[in-house]
Amino acid sequence: VQLQASGGGLVQAGGSLRLSCVVSGRFFRIDDMGWYRQAPGKQRELVAAITLRGTTNYADSVKGRFTISRDNTKNTVSLQMSSLQSEDTAVYYCNGKIRELYYTSRADYWGQGTQVTVSS
């Protein structure tokens, strides 16, 4: 199972970016999917998550600015980021809680990370 993230880059404050992540390989089911970020000198933190049925959860710092979505037919998760601020600068990682077989417990899989830099 592999997760491949894309869409990061450099943007001015107030701008927008869209991150995407696709899951490939053999597995039974993808449960929760999410995006995390890690800024220099800080711990990795949850940005947004979405369950298999579409229930979403956001960090307080991004509520109203970021939107997470998923396409279960394409095994993708996306993060639309608007009104970006310098504090959003970080490496963003996609995460999938995936069951490889129907009888196995779900495990965490991570994408390689994509840099988002917001210039003020």
Side-chain angles (χ1 to χ4, degrees), residues 35-39 42-48 59 61 87:
W35 289 93
Y36 290 70
R37 67 187 180 187
Q38 187 166 19
K42 295 187 177 182
Q43 290 189 333
R44 189 175 298 189
E45 64 175 356
L46 174 67
V47 176
S61 60
E87 301 80 55

Side-chain angles (χ1 to χ4, degrees), residues 73-94:
T73 65
K74 298 180 180 179
N75 299 323
T76 61
V77 61
S78 298
L79 185 69
Q80 179 65 47
M81 305 184 292
S82 302
S83 301
L84 283 161
Q85 306 166 356
S86 56
E87 301 80 55
D88 297 316
T89 295
V91 177
Y92 284 70
Y93 298 90
C94 60

Side-chain angles (χ1 to χ4, degrees), residues 27-31 52 97-101 106:
F27 51 88
F28 170 67
R29 190 177 71 200
I30 306 170
D31 288 342
L52 178 60
K97 300 188 187 305
I98 300 171
R99 298 176 186 268
E100 289 198 27
L101 300 170
R106 64 187 196 178

Side-chain angles (χ1 to χ4, degrees), residues 2-120:
Q2 290 188 325
L3 279 68
Q4 181 70 42
S6 61
L10 174 64
V11 64
Q12 288 189 332
S16 299
L17 277 177
R18 184 177 180 86
L19 305 182
S20 296
C21 178
V22 60
V23 182
S24 62
R26 302 187 69 175
F27 51 88
F28 170 67
R29 190 177 71 200
I30 306 170
D31 288 342
D32 298 352
M33 302 185 80
W35 289 93
Y36 290 70
R37 67 187 180 187
Q38 187 166 19
K42 295 187 177 182
Q43 290 189 333
R44 189 175 298 189
E45 64 175 356
L46 174 67
V47 176
I50 184 167
T51 67
L52 178 60
R53 299 192 184 282
T55 301
T56 59
N57 179 43
Y58 296 93
D60 288 343
S61 60
V62 307
K63 283 181 180 177
R65 300 188 298 121
F66 291 10
T67 302
I68 189 170
S69 60
R70 65 188 287 173
D71 185 333
N72 293 330
T73 65
K74 298 180 180 179
N75 299 323
T76 61
V77 61
S78 298
L79 185 69
Q80 179 65 47
M81 305 184 292
S82 302
S83 301
L84 283 161
Q85 306 166 356
S86 56
E87 301 80 55
D88 297 316
T89 295
V91 177
Y92 284 70
Y93 298 90
C94 60
N95 169 268
K97 300 188 187 305
I98 300 171
R99 298 176 186 268
E100 289 198 27
L101 300 170
Y102 75 93
Y103 55 83
T104 56
S105 300
R106 64 187 196 178
D108 279 307
Y109 290 85
W110 295 91
Q112 82 282 13
T114 184
Q115 177 71 46
V116 172
T117 302
V118 183
S119 63
S120 56

